[in-house]
């Protein structure tokens, strides 16, 4: 699949291990826009990007969230793009409950954040609009000289190419990973050690070292594709054998089918395709509209969502 191997982490500072791209320009006007909004609403940083009526998707065309630790908001980098004027973007980010003072800087317009009850104590992250329509919220050390004082109007303030850190020089093309005309509305890259899969008698296999996922809106729900990268070819082979056995054997039993249907996962498991190439495994499946509605609703209500990526 075209988007299976996309690496969103290449657009963020080193050590970031999880990244999620939401294309609100592709969700806008669909029933999934509200579901995506509900998913990100528990984020501590939502107060910064939420408009007065709470509709991030009405204002931003894309939001990308990356982190070195999903449990630590201070470890999170946030990047957003809007087609609105620079002053409108600044006004939105200067939220009543999270005030921002905008000043010219060497790298654009620097938003000095006011400490409020909505901010985690000791949050040092800096807010910057380095290019028209774009904003970045990240640790100051990731921005190099860009936060040094500047002069001139806020609307004209922008970063020069020679000052840009490598990751920020690339970030304006991050949406290309999801296709220029059409493609996924949501993408994920996970490059973090996770536990091996151990469901005795059901599914036992090594865990991949990197996971990518691309989710495309379909008239019947979603088409999902991605890739799994393992330590070596042997691990990939073991995983494929276990996954196919799970799909063809356990999922076909009465109890297996009942369990998967209760989790709204039966159709996704039954339709799963896997193709191995060395230490990598490409996968694909689909999720029905009915199943997707339940899964997204459950995700938005998942306990502990507050404070996580």
């Amino acid at each position: 699949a075209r988007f299976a191997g996309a690496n969103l982490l290449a657009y963020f500072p080193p050590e970031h291990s999880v990244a999620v791209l939401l294309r609100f320009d592709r969700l806008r006007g669909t029933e999934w826009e509200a579901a995506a909004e509900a998913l990100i609403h528990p984020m501590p940083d939502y107060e910064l990007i939420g408009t007065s009526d709470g509709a991030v998707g009405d204002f931003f065309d894309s939001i990308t969230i990356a982190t070195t630790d999903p449990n630590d908001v201070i470890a999170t980098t946030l990047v957003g793009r809007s087609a609105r004027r620079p002053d409108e973007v600044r006004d939105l980010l200067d939220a009543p409950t999270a005030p921002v003072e905008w000043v010219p800087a060497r790298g654009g317009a620097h938003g000095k954040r006011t400490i409020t009850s909505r901010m985690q104590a000791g949050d040092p992250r800096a807010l910057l609009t380095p290019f028209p329509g774009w904003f970045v919220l990240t640790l100051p050390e990731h921005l190099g000289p860009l936060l040094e004082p500047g002069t001139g109007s806020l609307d004209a303030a922008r970063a020069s190419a020679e000052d840009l850190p490598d990751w920020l020089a690339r970030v304006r093309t991050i949406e290309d990973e999801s296709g220029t005309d059409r493609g996924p509305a949501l993408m994920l890259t996970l490059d973090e050690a996770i536990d091996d899969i151990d469901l005795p008698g059901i599914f036992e296999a090594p865990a991949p070292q990197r996971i990518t996922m691309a989710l495309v809106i379909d008239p019947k729900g979603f088409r999902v594709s991605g890739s799994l990268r393992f330590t070596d070819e042997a691990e990939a082979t073991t995983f494929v054998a276990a996954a196919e056995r799970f799909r063809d054997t356990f999922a076909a039993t009465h109890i297996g089918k009942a369990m998967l249907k209760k989790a709204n996962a039966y159709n996704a498991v039954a339709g799963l395709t896997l193709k191995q190439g060395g230490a990598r495994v490409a996968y694909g499946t689909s999720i029905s509209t009915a199943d997707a509605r339940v899964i997204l609703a459950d995700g938005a209500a998942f306990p502990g969502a507050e404070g996580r990526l």
Side-chain angles (χ1 to χ4, degrees):
R2 176 183 173 190
F3 309 103
N7 180 17
L8 301 178
L9 295 172
Y11 299 85
F12 288 91
E15 309 304 323
H16 282 59
S17 57
V18 187
V20 178
L21 167 65
L22 280 166
R23 291 291 302 262
F24 277 105
D25 52 353
R26 292 175 179 168
L27 292 163
R28 198 174 293 140
T30 73
E31 69 170 284
W32 310 116
E33 181 181 5
E37 193 88 24
L39 277 175
I40 65 172
H41 194 276
M43 287 173 43
D45 290 331
Y46 184 85
E47 194 76 6
L48 179 70
I49 58 175
T51 62
S52 58
D53 61 1
V56 170
D58 287 346
F59 196 94
F60 290 103
D61 290 336
S62 74
I63 292 287
T64 310
I65 309 155
T67 187
T68 60
D69 181 356
N71 295 304
D72 184 2
V73 64
I74 292 174
T76 299
T77 293
L78 201 62
V79 173
R81 181 185 67 82
S82 173
R84 305 291 184 93
R85 299 192 315 266
D87 61 309
E88 291 181 296
V89 175
R90 293 195 305 273
D91 286 347
L92 175 82
L93 296 173
D94 180 13
T97 54
V100 173
E101 177 192 359
W102 291 99
V103 297
R106 180 171 172 174
H110 176 197
K112 296 186 175 182
R113 306 167 72 202
T114 301
I115 303 297
T116 70
S117 60
R118 291 289 304 179
M119 289 177 60
Q120 181 167 321
D123 186 350
R125 289 176 301 161
L127 184 60
L128 185 72
T129 58
F131 327 108
W134 289 84
F135 83 87
V136 177
L137 177 68
T138 193
L139 291 171
E141 55 259 40
H142 296 323
L143 295 172
L146 300 182
L147 297 179
E148 294 176 5
T151 58
S153 73
L154 291 172
D155 285 347
R158 64 193 61 190
S160 60
E162 58 268 23
D163 285 340
L164 290 173
D166 290 343
W167 72 273
L168 195 54
R170 293 189 293 266
V171 82
R172 278 186 294 180
T173 61
I174 192 170
E175 291 177 353
D176 292 348
E177 295 286 354
S178 60
T180 53
D181 297 321
R182 62 183 66 185
L186 181 148
M187 299 186 75
L188 162 76
T189 303
L190 171 65
D191 194 359
E192 187 176 63
I194 58 177
D195 294 336
D196 289 346
I197 305 165
D198 188 11
L199 300 172
I202 299 177
F203 196 149
E204 300 172 76
Q209 301 302 301
R210 172 177 285 180
I211 300 172
T212 68
M213 182 185 72
L215 187 152
V216 177
I217 297 175
D218 183 90
K220 296 181 180 180
F222 295 120
R223 287 180 284 114
V224 183
S225 63
S227 72
L228 310 173
R229 187 184 70 191
F230 293 84
T231 301
D232 52 38
E233 183 174 353
E235 284 198 352
T237 300
T238 299
F239 177 89
V240 169
E244 290 182 338
R245 186 164 55 249
F246 177 78
R247 179 196 63 197
D248 299 337
T249 305
F250 176 77
T253 66
H254 178 73
I255 189 170
K257 184 180 292 188
M259 289 173 63
L260 290 169
K261 284 188 173 181
K262 186 175 182 179
N264 295 94
Y266 174 73
N267 292 325
V269 171
L272 179 66
T273 61
L274 299 163
K275 183 176 181 180
Q276 182 183 352
R280 294 178 182 268
V281 176
Y283 68 89
T285 190
S286 59
I287 302 174
S288 70
T289 298
D291 286 345
R293 286 171 180 158
V294 176
I295 292 169
L296 289 171
D298 288 347
F302 185 75
E306 184 76 35
R308 295 178 62 88
L309 173 64

